Amino acid sequence: MLNKIDRRSFRPLPSQARIIVIGAGIGGLVAALLLATRGFAVTLVEKSKHPGGKLREVEIGGHAIDSGPTVFTMRPVFEAIFQVAGARLDDYITLRRAEILARHSWEDGSRFDLHADREATAQAVEALAGAREAQGYRDFCHRTAEVFAALDGPFMENAAPTPLSLARSAGLAGLPALTRIQPFTSLWNVVGRYFADPRLQQLFGRYATYCGSSPFSAPGPLMLIAHVEQMGVWLVEGGMIRLAEALETLAAASGVGIHYGEDVAEVIIRNGRAAGVRLASGETLYADAVIFNGDPSALASGLLGNAVHGAVTGWTPRQRSLSALTWSISGTATGFPLSRHTVFFSRDYRREFDEIAAGSLPSEPTIYVCAQDRGADDSPLGDGPERLFLLVNAPAHADFKPLSEMEMASCETRVMERLLRAGLTISAPPERMVRTGPADFATLFPGTGGALYGRASHGWAASFQRPGARSRIAGLYLAGGAVHPGPGIPMAALSGRHSASAVMQDLASTASFHPVATSGGMSMP
């Protein structure tokens, strides 16, 4: 049983205000941690048995396999969060910088490594496609850096950006750079202005899928993801879940009460504002504010009670981001020289996304393989089975057009045949292979239909239509990859920071909070 807060006898001062955080994903963990460090009494309620949310592991034969996000970027975001809590990121997790960001393979047998070193990549581009394409890559890098600089503060660091606020932040001097971010042009067309080689168009257009979107519909500014990777891709020793566990440890040490295996059935509304939650067990917990770290579509669809149905604007199934069909494998991989991250491209990228949009698995999917036991020289570490994670994009229609067992089995056959054509053989007994499909993700993340990234980033306005930290209901706040600033581990962390800041600002009218500035661009009221 959780300790109930009886509002009839307990009237906390704002500096002692009680906060309930629903969900121990990265956004919820960050929000809980930051609020606890400022003296709030924080209770974090999570329905599963462990932290992480989409940052999850699948255990097979005693081997824990990363089976969610597998890339760690924007390290300064986490360093600043840990610094606010009086800690150092390096004291909690061990990070190793990746020298090869990803290896890529095409049906014609060509291969290409994207390097952490920009000039090494330019030379690899020249070897693959010629000097003109290498210059196109250098120009592309210059533009992606400019786009990142134009959007970092005014958009990602802004809790509620608008096109007008972007223009105001840029000022007259910054308007030329802002106009060059090409928001009204698809990422595919933007990439095509720098690369004529269709293989490189695929490679750099694929960044749209990092947001669960199609490169043919996603806006040009998503090119900034290329610059984010150039800033550093890191490998987390022990797996990505170590980040969630580090935040959990620090949050608990800061006074957060963390309760696993507790499902929230309803957000309680009193006098027009969020006043607590009712658990599935029937227990009621009262609070001064509630942060929901989950997909906002769960609120819009009434899964947390009719009283919060209008807290956010929902989106239609057509507006959902991609889902996925994945395989977590403990087995052997021979033949093809896998790197930590390897992508096997389809022959017809447009057809692939057209088929997904029509509600089908692609007849010829692009395949991502994460070989989690590959060392610096790309050879397996140790003699035992390798931990492998395979992913293909899929439609998020599990709630009204679920994929059949036959469709998924057929896709699995096509995946293995494609890998075999590239020279890669993956061997594992059936009991050491776990398949996860859109219906499984829909169960893990209610209200999504299996969508893994919230609303798709299609069209120039999509990023501004993503919900922000404040919902329409006073006292109810949002965090997670489906809210601003968007999908991805660092973006989810920023969303947690935004929600914590919003709570503190809204409760500060009768409290004495003073801004604390930290290196890395973070300030907490």
Side-chain angles (χ1 to χ4, degrees):
M1 293 287 289
L2 303 184
N3 294 324
K4 294 184 181 180
I5 303 170
D6 188 349
R7 299 275 298 179
R8 295 170 297 178
S9 60
F10 179 70
R11 289 291 185 268
L13 295 173
S15 59
Q16 301 169 325
R18 301 278 177 142
I19 313 297
I20 292 175
V21 178
I22 305 171
I26 294 298
L29 288 166
V30 168
L33 169 62
L34 295 179
L35 287 168
T37 62
R38 300 313 306 273
F40 289 83
V42 183
T43 298
L44 194 158
V45 183
E46 166 59 50
K47 68 177 181 178
S48 72
K49 302 295 184 182
H50 47 74
K54 293 186 176 73
L55 201 65
R56 67 190 192 99
E57 289 182 327
V58 171
E59 186 170 323
I60 302 177
H63 299 280
I65 302 172
D66 277 338
S67 300
T70 57
V71 178
F72 183 95
T73 59
M74 297 183 72
R75 177 174 176 164
V77 168
F78 295 95
E79 290 176 329
I81 288 169
F82 276 67
Q83 184 178 347
V84 168
R88 294 177 65 250
L89 178 67
D90 289 341
D91 291 337
Y92 286 81
I93 61 175
T94 300
L95 299 172
R96 177 168 57 90
R97 187 163 187 154
E99 297 304 322
I100 296 178
L101 305 184
R103 179 160 293 158
H104 305 82
S105 171
W106 289 271
E107 284 274 13
D108 63 3
S110 57
R111 299 175 188 171
F112 173 81
D113 285 352
L114 189 66
H115 297 268
D117 181 81
R118 184 178 300 178
E119 190 53 33
T121 296
Q123 293 173 13
V125 169
E126 184 168 356
L128 177 75
R132 185 173 181 177
E133 296 294 271
Q135 184 57 48
Y137 171 74
R138 294 185 180 95
D139 294 341
F140 181 71
C141 288
H142 176 77
R143 182 54 50 83
T144 60
E146 185 179 40
V147 172
F148 180 85
L151 295 180
D152 182 23
F155 182 78
M156 290 183 287
E157 296 282 347
N158 188 329
T162 65
L164 183 58
S165 72
L166 278 180
R168 286 174 176 169
S169 297
L172 291 176
L175 282 178
L178 198 59
T179 60
R180 289 195 292 271
I181 68 174
Q182 299 175 277
F184 306 112
T185 305
S186 73
L187 178 62
W188 186 260
N189 287 339
V190 168
V191 167
R193 296 176 182 179
Y194 294 91
F195 304 103
D197 191 291
R199 295 168 297 181
L200 295 173
Q201 291 173 0
Q202 272 188 309
L203 193 158
F204 293 106
R206 181 176 171 269
Y207 284 123
T209 65
Y210 287 34
C211 298
S213 304
S214 163
F216 303 98
S217 302
L222 286 182
M223 71 173 84
L224 67 80
I225 297 174
H227 182 71
V228 168
E229 286 194 335
Q230 285 291 325
M231 293 166 61
V233 171
W234 304 86
L235 309 179
V236 183
E237 186 175 300
M240 293 289 289
I241 197 66
R242 302 290 89 80
L243 175 62
E245 292 174 348
L247 288 167
E248 173 198 41
T249 298
L250 194 53
S254 300
V256 177
I258 306 177
H259 303 272
Y260 294 111
E262 297 282 359
D263 199 2
V264 173
E266 180 184 9
V267 175
I268 298 169
I269 304 299
R270 297 280 174 82
N271 299 319
R273 66 174 292 117
V277 300
R278 181 175 61 81
L279 303 180
S281 65
E283 186 174 3
T284 299
L285 307 174
Y286 293 99
D288 295 275
V290 176
I291 297 175
F292 177 60
N293 175 213
D295 198 293
S297 57
L299 295 173
S301 58
L303 295 182
L304 276 85
N306 291 329
V308 294
H309 174 79
V312 297
T313 300
W315 44 83
T316 68
R318 289 182 61 85
Q319 294 172 316
R320 290 173 180 166
S321 64
L322 296 170
S323 186
L325 184 60
T326 72
W327 295 266
S328 304
I329 302 171
S330 176
T332 60
T334 57
F336 183 94
L338 289 173
S339 188
R340 180 63 169 256
H341 306 289
T342 305
V343 180
F344 298 85
F345 281 110
S346 64
R347 281 175 286 203
D348 190 335
Y349 218 34
R350 187 178 291 275
R351 183 179 70 178
E352 180 177 347
F353 285 95
D354 286 344
E355 289 173 340
I356 293 172
S360 302
L361 287 168
S363 55
E364 189 178 311
T366 292
I367 308 156
Y368 165 71
V369 179
C370 181
Q372 297 166 30
D373 295 302
R374 294 281 163 155
D377 61 353
D378 294 336
S379 62
L381 299 174
D383 299 325
E386 282 195 71
R387 295 173 301 157
L388 303 167
F389 177 64
L390 280 61
L391 179 149
V392 302
N393 294 316
H397 298 164
D399 50 348
F400 66 92
K401 189 182 178 183
L403 298 173
S404 68
E405 174 63 29
M406 182 178 295
E407 288 175 296
M408 291 187 288
S410 177
C411 183
E412 181 175 317
T413 298
R414 294 195 300 273
V415 165
M416 295 305 173
E417 289 175 346
R418 167 67 180 95
L419 297 180
L420 193 59
R421 289 198 300 273
L424 176 63
T425 300
I426 294 178
S427 301
E431 65 272 16
R432 290 186 176 268
M433 179 183 296
V434 174
R435 187 178 68 199
T436 306
D440 301 302
F441 291 120
T443 299
L444 288 168
F445 313 116
T448 64
L452 294 175
Y453 312 86
R455 180 174 179 156
S457 296
H458 290 164
W460 73 270
S463 295
F464 298 103
Q465 294 168 340
R466 193 176 287 121
R470 291 180 175 89
S471 77
R472 292 173 180 162
I473 296 175
L476 178 59
Y477 303 85
L478 309 174
V483 306
H484 175 74
I489 298 302
M491 297 297 102
L494 286 175
S495 79
R497 197 194 83 192
H498 289 325
S499 64
S501 295
V503 169
M504 287 187 275
Q505 290 166 7
D506 293 348
L507 296 180
S509 60
T510 54
S512 298
F513 293 120
H514 304 284
V516 176
T518 70
S519 62
M522 175 179 293
S523 65
M524 297 297 296

